[in-house]
């Protein structure tokens, strides 16, 4: 995890240099702002990874002598299936089509988005996956 943090820190420093150079050279506020936001995003991810690497055990990715099999085993808990992302995608599609064709179409998209959002949030509190 420490190596990934270093990679993102290097990315953030690179984008910061590009943002400063681009801002001075082009005088474009939109592109300069986007580059500074990309610097912030890279910094946040680097900070999280480096901060978390101090609290957890060293993984096989941080050991230069590690084998592929050293990282075998359980990596975490992942949901086996869920219909909620499909609902969110369909609701988002209908809602964004409302921006194109008419705001009235959002009345149909927003309830579907809310059903998908609440369903995804509470899917382990109801039904067959309740005890997981």
């Amino acid at each position: 995890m420490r190596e990934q943090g270093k990679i993102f820190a290097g990315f953030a420093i690179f984008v910061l240099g590009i943002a400063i150079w681009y801002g001075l050279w082009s005088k474009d506020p939109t592109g300069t702002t986007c580059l500074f936001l990309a610097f912030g995003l890279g910094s946040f991810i680097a900070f999280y990874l480096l901060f978390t690497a101090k609290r957890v055990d060293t993984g096989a990715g941080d050991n230069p002598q590690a084998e592929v099999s050293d990282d075998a085993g359980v990596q975490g808990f992942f949901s086996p299936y869920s219909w909620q992302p499909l609902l969110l995608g369909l609701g988002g599609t209908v809602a964004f089509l409302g921006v194109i064709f008419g705001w009235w179409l959002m009345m149909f998209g927003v309830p579907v988005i809310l059903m998908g959002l609440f369903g995804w949030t509470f899917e382990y509190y109801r039904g067959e996956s309740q005890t997981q």
Side-chain angles (χ1 to χ4, degrees):
M1 194 172 284
R2 185 170 287 115
E3 292 300 318
Q4 290 93 343
K6 289 179 184 177
I7 290 170
F8 274 100
F11 167 75
I13 292 169
F14 172 75
V15 171
L16 177 65
I18 294 297
I20 292 170
W21 176 78
Y22 183 80
L24 293 173
W25 180 71
S26 71
K27 307 284 194 267
D28 176 26
T30 307
T32 306
T33 303
C34 290
L35 286 170
F36 276 112
L37 289 174
F39 161 72
L41 179 65
S43 298
F44 284 143
I45 295 172
F47 173 76
Y48 171 77
L49 289 172
L50 292 171
F51 180 75
T52 306
K54 292 179 184 177
R55 297 184 303 144
V56 297
D57 294 334
T58 302
D62 293 326
N63 183 4
Q65 304 300 324
E67 298 290 329
V68 173
S69 61
D70 292 341
D71 219 7
V74 177
Q75 299 296 319
F77 174 75
F78 302 98
S79 298
Y81 63 89
S82 179
W83 288 97
Q84 309 311 324
L86 180 64
L87 274 177
L88 283 170
L90 290 173
T93 301
V94 172
F96 283 112
L97 284 174
V99 174
I100 298 171
F101 295 113
W103 292 100
W104 60 270
L105 200 53
M106 282 191 136
M107 293 186 318
F108 299 106
V110 170
V112 177
I113 289 173
L114 290 176
M115 285 186 337
L117 185 65
F118 285 114
W120 208 357
T121 302
F122 297 114
E123 72 182 337
Y124 288 107
Y125 294 99
R126 301 174 36 110
E128 65 186 43
S129 302
Q130 183 174 1
T131 59
Q132 292 186 6

